[in-house]
Amino acid sequence: MDGLARLAPASGHPRPDAVPVPDDLAAFIETLGLAGEDASAERQAARLLVDAMGVAIYTTDAAGSLTYYNEAAASLWGWRPPLQEQRWCGSWRIVAPDGAEMPPDQCPMAVCLREGRAVRGAWAFAERPDGQRIPFAPFPSPLRAPDGRLVGAVNVLVDISGLKAAENRLARAEARFQTAQDIAPEGFVVLEPIRDAAGTVVDFRIDYANAAAMRLLGLRPRRGREAGGRLSLVLPMHAGGPGGVLAEFTAVLETGSVSIRERGAGDGLGARSFRSRAVRLDHGVAVSFEDITARRRVEARARFLAEHDELTGLLNASGLRRRMEPMQDRADGAAILLVTLEGHRAALGRAAAEEAVRVAATRIARRLPAGAVAARIGADDFAVLVAGCPSLAVHELSAALLRDLAVPVATPEGPVALGTRVGVAVSEGAMDPDALMRDAELALSTARQGAGDRLAIFAPAALRGAPTIRQAEADLRQALAERQIEVHYQPIIATATRRIAGFEALARWKHPSRGFVSPGEFVPLAEETGLITQLGDQVLRQACRDAAGWPDALRVTVNISPTQLREEMLPRLVADALAASGLAARRLELELSEVTFLGDERAAAHALATLRAQGVALALDDFGSGFCSLAQLRSFPVGRVKIDRNLVVGVDAQREGAAIIRAIMRLAADLGLATTAEGVNTPGEFDRLAAEGCAEAQGFLFSPAQPAAAIPSLLARFG
Ligand code: C2E
Ligand code: CA
Ligand code: CA
């Protein structure tokens, strides 16, 4: 039996014992007397019957010589061996499943005769004279005389070609399936439901997972190809709420429906996105899924590019349109500000001009209030869309943009001053995007015409919006007339002595209904409406008057906006304020923003020189918030820099922060400039600044700005 394979076809097919060969066939053949010479009618009938069965049967005597074979045996062998002369094994060659020829004495029939027992459950190939190999299963049984003597054997041969072919087909199909599954980029799993006692599906078992599924789900192979394990250990079953995978696959299982889903980040699948297809398979669910993370990323990028401008990262015109559409239904109004830049193309090469546009875009983006979006809609044109805004807010935003964009832009070819024009259209109720855009364009063309007016508001909208804007302007005018603008003072502390060196005058609007309004709100309005001159003059006069009553060593610092500085009469106003209050010029310091010192500001330079000649001190405000370099200041008569609070915050905690301060201090010392740090909030910051050599400090650590009446008590604390 060694060379014979055990007959063990793949599961799912009839087992060999199911082949209809009765175990007592030997007895049956004996009874029929098939093996004799007798040609009686009964024997002939019996032979015909056995031939008709279609199963190959032959008998031998005890020596193994053929005594009988039927038609089926002859056709299986492929020839008709003569009886008696032929030993049964010589009727064909037997080849074991491994391809080795089997010695005759090891054939099942030889074993049966030698050992006098039936042999079952093996198979081999029979090789016919024509060379064809036929797989067969032999069922040899001994034949015994009534006294128990072995007289021969009967063998039934079952042709299992069909079975083997089916087995091969199946094996090939399985191999093909396996290969397909292993090289498929799609994950494929077969799931079987796990039910609780009530029969409700509570989880799934992974019955099969292909290579891609293992990889995508992070499974480890177990017992060959089977994945094993519960699905819930791999995926969050309820992720995505009622539409979680448990509910989805249970529905597929129960209704036979096909489910196609895309799941992604946010569905509990981490950063990856999947597209899955689930169908019922037998009593489980087959799911194929692909990783669409990369595709989604490409799509998102494509969507982004379709709606955004590459240079600035702002929306482009079509992106802006899409943002406008949903706003049509809003009743709280909207505004469009069209901003156009001029001058930089003439002054710069293409690359530098583009850089200027990019910087301008950054400044616009930084100014956007909540609910506003900015778009680049032309080479030098931007649009800002503001949702639900009162006219006043839009006015302030326009002013702020004009102010931000007035700061010269650093480009590879050097700083350049941008000319900026703004056209605004406001719609108070539900908006019509096209109409609003048209209005804004009209406003912009108005703003382009005037040499001075850089801002225009579309007239009809302006008329409707006028009450608010004009109201604000009228309010401010009235405030100035009624002296509602107060001046508060924030102490400036000398680090060496920890005593007050002076005070910064900060304007406060004591509004009859709004309480104290911050200068951040009304100074831009004052600048745009030209009221800044009057406002500045009032603050200056008040500050000088108050300071004249302080101890002689204390100075007062007054903020001067760039617009004020361009006014030719500033030196005269300063002289008047000093004269009227009796304050010594050396006790007055004017703080100027760095905008003043950039670009072609000859008028400013002249004003500064005049002021300096009058004995007034000058300081540069907010140093470090822009990109003014200290070296640029050399040509201006500035005696002090105020270090912006952005550079001060956390200076004690961050190494680079301290390094920057140290560098500024060294340079300031070389240039003979005094230093004041703004926005000092903690003792740690103060100590660090003092250690780095900063002469003065100002901030909430000591005091916010307070009314003039509070000065005596401040002096008592820090005097
Ligand atoms: P600024 O000149 O940089 O004034 C400093 C601002 O920082 C003040 O705000 C002050 O209250 C605030 N501040 C002071 N210490 C601290 C601190 O420790 N932490 C923080 N977070 N803030 C601190 P304020 O009074 O709202 O003034 C805002 C800006 O308005 C001023 O900035 C100045 O540019 C302008 N401004 C104020 N008064 C006048 C004025 O009379 N004329 C002009 N042209 N501008 C003025
Ligand atoms: Ca200041
Ligand atoms: Ca400042």
Side-chain angles (χ1 to χ4, degrees):
M1 277 273 299
D2 287 345
L4 288 172
R6 301 303 303 180
L7 197 67
S11 58
H13 290 266
R15 307 245 333 255
D17 14 293
V19 175
V21 180
D23 240 3
D24 54 352
L25 188 70
F28 171 68
I29 289 172
E30 177 109 33
T31 314
L32 291 175
L34 285 173
E37 291 290 306
D38 188 349
S40 69
E42 291 88 344
R43 185 161 293 186
Q44 280 180 33
R47 284 187 175 173
L48 283 171
L49 184 66
V50 171
D51 282 346
M53 280 166 64
V55 177
I57 294 176
Y58 69 90
T59 55
T60 66
D61 60 18
S65 293
L66 276 175
T67 50
Y68 163 78
Y69 56 85
N70 68 357
E71 278 307 305
S75 74
L76 183 67
W77 288 329
W79 70 303
R80 294 180 170 278
L83 292 181
Q84 301 304 338
E85 290 167 28
Q86 185 74 33
R87 277 180 57 89
W88 61 271
C89 263
S91 55
W92 60 2
R93 266 159 39 103
I94 296 181
V95 179
D98 63 6
E101 186 167 348
M102 191 174 291
D105 63 334
Q106 283 180 25
C107 296
M109 190 61 157
V111 174
C112 168
L113 283 170
R114 194 164 57 240
E115 298 177 5
R117 61 173 180 87
V119 178
R120 295 289 182 266
W123 74 276
F125 290 102
E127 197 175 278
R128 303 214 271 201
D130 62 5
Q132 197 188 343
R133 285 186 178 183
I134 296 176
F136 75 100
F139 295 85
S141 305
L143 294 174
R144 292 183 190 280
D147 59 3
R149 192 170 36 89
L150 186 77
V151 291
V154 59
N155 199 356
V156 176
L157 304 176
V158 178
D159 179 347
I160 56 171
S161 329
L163 186 67
K164 283 291 153 202
E167 242 178 70
N168 283 341
R169 267 199 309 278
L170 186 71
R172 266 205 313 279
E174 227 166 45
R176 239 178 271 151
F177 169 80
Q178 209 55 69
T179 310
Q181 287 302 332
D182 283 350
I183 62 172
E186 287 206 344
F188 179 75
V189 290
V190 177
L191 305 173
E192 275 178 5
I194 299 173
R195 298 174 188 275
D196 64 9
T200 310
V201 178
V202 291
D203 200 345
F204 286 90
R205 199 176 61 77
I206 303 174
D207 189 42
Y208 170 83
N210 72 350
M214 300 250 201
R215 201 177 58 243
L216 293 173
L217 297 177
L219 298 176
R220 249 186 245 132
R222 259 210 259 165
R223 283 198 295 122
R225 300 205 160 265
E226 256 169 71
R230 288 168 166 248
L231 186 61
S232 60
L233 297 178
V234 186
L235 287 182
M237 300 298 277
H238 299 285
V245 289
L246 179 63
E248 181 191 352
F249 296 161
T250 305
V252 168
L253 190 66
E254 281 165 5
T255 65
S257 57
V258 176
S259 174
I260 299 175
R261 293 270 184 103
E262 288 196 4
R263 286 193 167 80
D267 290 344
L269 296 177
R272 314 209 67 82
S273 304
F274 292 98
R275 179 187 158 85
S276 67
R277 236 168 277 117
V279 294
R280 185 159 69 190
L281 176 71
D282 293 340
H283 303 294
V285 179
V287 188
S288 71
F289 54 97
E290 60 184 314
D291 186 338
I292 55 167
T293 314
R295 198 182 81 204
R296 276 207 178 172
R297 213 175 283 141
V298 168
E299 283 169 359
R301 178 88 193 125
R303 257 199 316 276
F304 182 86
L305 284 180
E307 292 198 347
H308 289 78
D309 171 51
E310 277 211 77
L311 175 69
T312 61
L314 297 182
L315 291 172
N316 60 19
S318 64
L320 179 69
R321 267 225 85 79
R322 275 193 44 147
R323 298 302 186 288
M324 282 167 99
E325 274 154 18
M327 289 173 72
Q328 294 182 57
D329 308 324
R330 293 177 59 139
D332 53 349
I336 288 186
L337 286 74
L338 292 180
V339 180
T340 190
L341 308 177
E342 311 168 323
H344 56 297
R345 300 267 169 202
L348 301 168
R350 201 188 125 75
E354 293 281 276
E355 174 60 12
V357 170
R358 207 188 52 74
V359 172
T362 315
R363 292 189 193 166
I364 292 172
R366 214 184 292 139
R367 261 299 164 198
L368 294 183
V373 290
R376 182 178 180 222
I377 56 173
D380 303 318
D381 304 311
F382 298 92
V384 176
L385 172 66
V386 191
C389 53
S391 303
L392 181 59
V394 172
H395 191 275
E396 276 167 11
L397 176 60
S398 311
L401 288 175
L402 282 169
R403 217 171 335 115
D404 290 352
L405 294 171
V407 177
V409 173
T411 76
E413 295 179 22
V416 65
L418 297 171
T420 310
R421 310 270 170 178
V422 179
V424 180
V426 181
S427 128
E428 301 269 303
M431 77 147 179
D432 170 356
D434 290 327
L436 195 61
M437 192 53 104
R438 241 188 348 260
D439 292 354
E441 274 160 10
L442 273 173
L444 182 62
S445 65
T446 311
R448 274 195 167 116
Q449 283 152 20
D453 254 354
R454 294 175 298 149
L455 171 68
I457 297 181
F458 181 69
L463 284 182
R464 268 183 279 130
T468 18
I469 296 174
R470 272 214 308 259
Q471 188 64 47
E473 188 185 330
D475 270 9
L476 184 58
R477 207 177 286 280
Q478 191 181 1
L480 291 166
E482 294 180 1
R483 308 263 152 188
Q484 287 171 12
I485 308 292
E486 289 187 5
V487 183
H488 287 198
Y489 298 94
Q490 184 175 35
I492 300 167
I493 309 290
T495 53
T497 59
R498 292 185 174 244
R499 299 171 79 177
I500 293 178
F503 291 92
E504 178 174 1
L506 292 161
R508 297 286 180 267
W509 180 358
K510 198 172 177 186
H511 196 278
S513 57
R514 293 172 64 198
F516 276 115
V517 177
S518 133
E521 252 184 86
F522 66 85
V523 168
L525 181 64
E527 284 189 13
E528 282 304 320
T529 51
L531 291 172
I532 190 70
T533 315
Q534 201 185 335
L535 172 75
D537 191 43
Q538 275 193 17
V539 172
L540 182 68
R541 281 171 179 276
Q542 185 64 49
C544 290
R545 211 164 27 240
D546 287 337
W550 304 339
D552 191 55
L554 301 183
R555 70 171 191 275
V556 67
T557 298
V558 177
N559 291 283
I560 301 291
S561 83
T563 317
Q564 277 173 281
L565 202 66
R566 280 190 211 102
E567 303 271 356
E568 274 171 31
M569 57 185 167
L570 183 65
R572 212 191 64 225
L573 293 177
V574 171
D576 283 356
L578 289 171
S581 61
L583 186 74
R586 62 173 168 81
R587 293 180 60 199
L588 176 64
E589 185 177 60
L590 301 182
E591 260 180 35
L592 309 149
S593 102
E594 61 180 12
V595 183
T596 320
F597 301 94
L598 288 168
D600 182 27
E601 295 280 0
R602 237 167 301 157
H606 179 73
L608 292 175
T610 314
L611 288 166
R612 191 67 202 103
Q614 286 173 302
V616 173
L618 300 174
L620 170 67
D621 204 355
D622 304 332
F623 178 73
S625 65
F627 41 85
C628 197
S629 80
L630 280 185
Q632 267 174 291
L633 293 179
R634 238 184 305 205
S635 45
F636 292 97
V638 172
R640 173 185 301 280
V641 283
K642 294 191 74 172
I643 296 155
D644 193 66
R645 66 169 165 273
N646 290 317
L647 293 181
V648 168
V649 171
V651 68
D652 50 331
Q654 301 158 357
R655 276 233 249 107
E656 314 115 61
I660 290 171
I661 295 288
R662 195 168 309 143
I664 294 173
M665 290 305 150
R666 194 169 315 133
L667 197 59
D670 287 351
L671 294 170
L673 296 171
T675 47
T676 303
E678 290 186 319
V680 180
N681 273 311
T682 69
E685 288 167 354
F686 178 84
D687 291 343
R688 177 88 259 177
L689 289 160
E692 298 297 348
C694 187
E696 293 178 354
Q698 177 185 356
F700 294 166
L701 172 63
F702 305 105
S703 170
Q706 296 205 29
I711 287 188
S713 73
L714 284 171
L715 286 175
R717 262 173 69 201
F718 305 106

